[in-house]
């Protein structure tokens, strides 16, 4: 009976539970349940945002319609923001994949600020709150996703930096029960060459360079005297520590020869003696610093000297390569060759790399946009590719500097990246244009724009690196190393885009246990190979080889056994000869056995002495000196034995043989 009561009680509880669940499922619900649309990792964020919003506003029961419209307008503003004054700049939408985390955070903060300043203590419905949360959650989720991506990127960069300390890579062996089953080799590989210009005035910044991120450092220092072909100044080439530092870190170093004066270049390109002097001085300077080549950086010598420049490059190439075939010759080209200086098709065979200089700007806007400008990356690279320069010879050179345009004075000035971070980013919020980069509008009286600052930060220069690499050219150049002094983020982007971890996995076949027959067959074959080496090339036979020989002690045992057998058989023969005399019918057989044992024992004794390092007569010795070979010893013994037989037959036997009496 007690069991039946328990069943009844359980059944009643189960019925009540089902009834309660049905009532709850039939309860009225809103048309849009926001919580069901939220990702699992964002539920906690939504609850905190809802609490923040409801706590921030205590709305009156009786609110005006105008206030409601104002709230709706604020919500809609997040979805479709007002366009800025400059229509070339795209504002930061949440759907834009290039929005930085800082911008998203500022959007979230400004949303709460808008509500607290524009909405009075009125009442808002749950639907409006849900709509507001719907706008906020994608923004917060995007921020979370970007932070996760950044964490992965930083972890990858950290691992690359660690592996850079091991040029040959690291090897990790996976074992199961102390048996190797897998060998993983990790090594840093490059998908692009990286050239960095070191201007001579940046010498105090060289200690902060990441040389392992560079392939080649170009020292901007040889200022040409076009009249003589010598130098006006070397700008520290002969004393600069950056050269030794770069070489010690594994970088190649090039000497940049530059001249900006058109008259000077005209004199130089029309004087072969000046050209020969430059070439000879360059060879001396490169050899003195153990450098790897030159970079020619001539500006505006005019189309009248195109042919002369081609002849000069041809002469430079032939003379320099005769001195050292490994020397590189590189030429820096302008984005737009408006003075028609370079006949690139003619000089291409004499040049190892063409460095397209995207670090200068002659009109308003960013220094190096991606597209849409005559000075853009896409146009500049395609312009030279269309002139049949092989992609493997092209380097696109960007700059870390920003450019500040002043509307009133119509002038511009370059700003170091480090200066931009310290003096501008703390005061202004940059706008981002995927095509052109980052922009800071400096306004007066919150109305009139008086200056524009264009620059590249981590996000924008990363996109430009991607664009360059997707073009399939040889690599990337950086003008003005040191512009980012003290800030690692630009080096991290460079490492992230131009290096990767190459992993090679080798599966190790587990060893198969040998059978006894296979083991002895292998050991005998190894022993035979050791004896072949010992007999034919004793000078190559080492003590380690001797230790591997398992028959060393066996030969001594065989020698002792042969000696005992020889003594026993010799005693037996003497006894039989004494008892039977000439009637012993097996005398020839036993005498043959004795002869064979004597020869074999002699060989074994010689072999024991040959293998004994303490015996210095022949064979191996403790001093490591190569002694007489075993084959030579056997030849001597064999020759001696043969001579002994002849002497016995023709000299000794006739003397001891009794004379026959008729």
């Amino acid at each position: 009976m007690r069991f039946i009561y328990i069943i009844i009680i359980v059944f009643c509880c189960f019925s009540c539970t089902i009834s309660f669940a049905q009532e709850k499922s039939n309860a009225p619900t809103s048309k849009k349940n926001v919580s069901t649309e939220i990702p699992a990792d964002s539920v906690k964020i939504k609850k905190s945002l809802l609490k923040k919003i409801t706590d921030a506003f205590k709305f009156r029961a009786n609110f005006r319609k105008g206030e409601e419209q104002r709230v709706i307008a604020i919500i809609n503003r997040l979805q479709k923001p007002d366009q800025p004054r400059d229509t070339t700049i795209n504002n930061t939408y949440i759907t834009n994949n290039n929005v930085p985390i800082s911008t998203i955070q500022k959007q979230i903060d400004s949303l709460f600020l808008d509500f607290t300043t524009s909405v009075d203590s009125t009442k808002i419905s749950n639907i409006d709150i849900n709509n507001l949360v719907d706008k906020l959650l994608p923004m917060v989720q995007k921020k979370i996703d970007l932070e996760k991506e950044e964490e992965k990127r930083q972890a990858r960069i950290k691992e690359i930096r660690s592996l850079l300390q091991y040029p040959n890579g690291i090897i990790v062996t996976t074992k199961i029960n102390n048996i190797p089953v897998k060998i993983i080799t990790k090594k840093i590989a490059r998908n692009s060459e990286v050239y960095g210009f070191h201007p001579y005035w940046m010498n105090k910044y060289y200690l902060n360079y990441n040389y392992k991120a560079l392939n080649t450092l170009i020292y901007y220092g040889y200022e040409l005297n076009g009249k003589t072909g010598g130098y006006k100044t070397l700008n520290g080439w002969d004393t600069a520590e950056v050269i030794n530092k770069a070489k010690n870190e594994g970088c190649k170093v090039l000497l940049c020869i530059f001249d900006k004066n058109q008259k000077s270049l005209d004199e130089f390109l029309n004087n072969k003696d000046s050209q020969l002097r430059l070439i000879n001085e360059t060879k001396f300077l490169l050899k003195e610093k153990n450098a790897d080549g030159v970079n020619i950086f001539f500006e505006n010598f005019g189309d009248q000297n195109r042919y002369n420049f081609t002849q000069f490059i041809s002469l430079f190439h032939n003379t320099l390569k005769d001195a050292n075939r490994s020397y590189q010759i590189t030429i820096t080209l302008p984005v737009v060759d408006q003075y028609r200086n370079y006949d690139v098709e003619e000089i291409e065979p004499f040049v190892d790399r063409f460095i397209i200089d995207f670090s200068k700007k002659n009109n308003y806007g960013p220094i190096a946009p991606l597209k849409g400008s005559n000075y853009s990356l896409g146009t500049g690279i395609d312009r030279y590719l269309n002139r049949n320069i092989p992609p493997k010879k092209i380097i696109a050179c960007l700059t870390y500097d920003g450019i500040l345009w002043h509307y009133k004075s119509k002038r511009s000035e370059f700003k170091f990246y480090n200066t931009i971070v310290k003096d501008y980013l703390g005061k202004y919020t940059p706008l981002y244009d995927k095509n052109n980069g980052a922009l800071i509008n400096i306004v007066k009286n919150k109305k009139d724009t008086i200056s524009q600052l264009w620059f590249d930060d981590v996000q924008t220069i990363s996109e430009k690196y991607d664009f360059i690499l997707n073009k399939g050219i040889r690599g990337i150049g950086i003008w003005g190393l040191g512009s980012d002094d003290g800030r690692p983020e630009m080096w991290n982007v460079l490492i992230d885009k131009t290096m990767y971890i190459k992993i090679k996995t080798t599966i190790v076949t587990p060893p198969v246990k040998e059978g006894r027959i296979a083991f002895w067959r292998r050991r005998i074959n190894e022993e035979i190979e050791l004896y072949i080496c010992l007999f034919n090339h004793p000078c190559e036979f080492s003590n380690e080889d001797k230790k591997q020989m398992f028959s060393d002690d066996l030969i001594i045992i065989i020698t002792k056994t042969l000696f005992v057998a020889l003594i026993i058989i010799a005693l037996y023969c003497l006894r039989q000869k004494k008892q039977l005399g000439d009637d012993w019918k097996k005398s020839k057989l036993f005498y043959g056995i004795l002869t064979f044992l004597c020869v074999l024992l002699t060989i074994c004794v010689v072999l024991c002495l040959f293998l004994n390092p303490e015996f210095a007569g022949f064979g191996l010795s403790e001093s490591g000196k190569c002694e007489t070979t075993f084959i030579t010893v056997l030849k001597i013994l064999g020759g001696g034995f043969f001579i002994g037989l002849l002497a016995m037959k023709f000299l000794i036997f006739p003397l001891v043989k009794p004379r026959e009496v008729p």
Side-chain angles (χ1 to χ4, degrees), residues 10 39 100 184 196 236 259 288 324-325 342 349 364 377 406 424 435 443 484 506 539 564 577 618:
V10 171
I184 300 175
D259 195 344
E288 185 181 41
N324 190 333
R325 295 298 300 175
Y342 304 95
Y364 283 105
L377 284 171
H406 300 281
Y424 291 91
N435 186 58
V443 298
D484 62 333
T506 303
C539 295
V564 173
K577 186 69 175 174
F618 52 83

Side-chain angles (χ1 to χ4, degrees), residues 80-87 89-91 93:
K80 188 177 180 181
D82 297 332
Q83 292 295 322
R85 295 169 64 89
D86 189 349
T87 56
I89 306 300
N90 295 324
N91 212 332
Y93 294 104

Side-chain angles (χ1 to χ4, degrees), residues 199-340:
Y200 59 85
W201 58 84
M202 288 288 198
N203 262 339
K204 64 180 181 179
Y205 299 115
Y206 77 95
L207 291 174
N208 291 329
Y209 295 172
N210 189 334
Y211 296 92
K212 293 189 181 298
L214 303 173
N215 290 97
T216 305
L217 182 136
I218 303 176
Y219 189 92
Y220 186 84
Y222 188 109
E223 188 173 0
L224 177 66
N225 183 339
K227 188 174 183 179
T228 64
Y231 56 82
K232 292 181 181 178
T233 174
L234 290 176
N235 290 307
W237 166 265
D238 50 343
T239 59
E241 290 296 327
V242 66
I243 299 172
N244 298 328
K245 181 73 172 173
K247 294 294 293 184
N248 291 336
E249 294 286 347
C251 280
K252 294 181 179 179
V253 176
L254 306 183
L255 172 61
C256 180
I257 303 169
F258 68 93
D259 195 344
K260 300 180 181 180
N261 188 289
Q262 184 175 5
K263 182 179 178 181
S264 173
L265 287 172
D266 184 68
E267 290 179 329
F268 175 76
L269 292 175
N270 285 280
N271 189 335
K272 192 169 183 179
D273 291 336
S274 298
Q275 296 172 20
L276 289 173
R277 180 181 175 183
L278 170 65
I279 295 171
N280 290 330
E281 285 192 357
T282 300
K283 290 194 297 183
F284 172 78
L285 293 173
L286 295 181
K287 186 176 181 181
E288 185 181 41
K289 302 298 286 187
N290 192 28
D292 302 279
V294 296
N295 173 254
I296 308 298
F297 200 159
F298 291 171
E299 300 182 41
N300 189 21
F301 50 80
D303 60 349
Q304 72 276 9
N305 283 313
R306 292 178 75 215
Y307 176 77
N308 293 337
F309 181 77
T310 302
Q311 294 300 110
F312 162 65
I313 295 299
S314 174
L315 177 64
F316 207 154
H317 171 271
N318 294 332
T319 309
L320 206 61
K321 294 290 185 178
D322 286 342
N324 190 333
R325 295 298 300 175
S326 64
Y327 281 154
Q328 279 192 13
I329 296 179
T330 64
I331 294 180
T332 300
L333 301 174
V335 182
V336 180
D337 186 12
Q338 56 184 342
Y339 300 106
R340 296 180 57 79

Side-chain angles (χ1 to χ4, degrees), residues 46 142 145 148 250 339 372 394 414 426 448 455 471 503 510 528 541 603 609:
K46 178 189 171 183
K142 182 66 176 179
D145 293 341
K148 289 180 179 179
Y339 300 106
I394 293 179
F414 288 93
D448 299 323
F455 68 99
K471 280 288 184 179
I503 301 176
I528 292 173
F541 197 82
I603 293 174
L609 295 175

Side-chain angles (χ1 to χ4, degrees), residues 190-196 213-216 252 328 330 352-355 391-396 468-469 473-478 494 497-499:
R190 296 179 182 269
N191 55 19
S192 171
E193 290 183 356
V194 180
Y195 286 69
L214 303 173
N215 290 97
T216 305
K252 294 181 179 179
Q328 279 192 13
T330 64
D352 295 290
R353 299 289 183 271
F354 290 96
I355 301 176
K392 66 180 181 179
K393 287 190 174 185
I394 293 179
I395 305 293
I468 291 171
L469 297 177
I473 62 176
R474 191 58 176 255
I476 295 167
I478 301 296
L494 192 63
K497 294 299 181 180
T498 62
M499 295 180 177

Side-chain angles (χ1 to χ4, degrees), residues 29-69:
T29 57
S30 60
K31 292 184 179 179
K32 186 174 183 182
N33 191 349
V34 179
S35 62
T36 58
E37 300 176 2
I38 303 170
D41 57 351
S42 301
V43 173
K44 189 177 294 184
I45 297 172
K46 178 189 171 183
K47 290 180 180 178
S48 62
L49 288 172
L50 277 171
K51 188 174 184 308
K52 207 174 204 180
I53 295 169
T54 54
D55 289 346
F57 316 111
K58 299 296 181 182
F59 296 106
R60 287 198 307 262
N62 200 9
F63 64 92
R64 296 184 302 275
K65 185 167 180 148
E67 295 294 338
E68 181 181 354
Q69 291 176 349

Side-chain angles (χ1 to χ4, degrees), residues 26 131 165-166 185 196 274 290 310 325 343 356 363 368 371 389 417 436 450 464 487 553 588 606 638:
N26 293 329
N131 288 336
Q165 308 304 316
Y166 306 94
T185 304
S274 298
N290 192 28
T310 302
R325 295 298 300 175
D343 191 350
I356 306 175
N363 55 0
K371 300 176 182 178
I389 296 182
Y417 173 77
N436 295 319
I450 58 173
K464 290 181 180 180
R487 305 197 62 86
D553 296 333
K588 290 185 178 180
V606 172

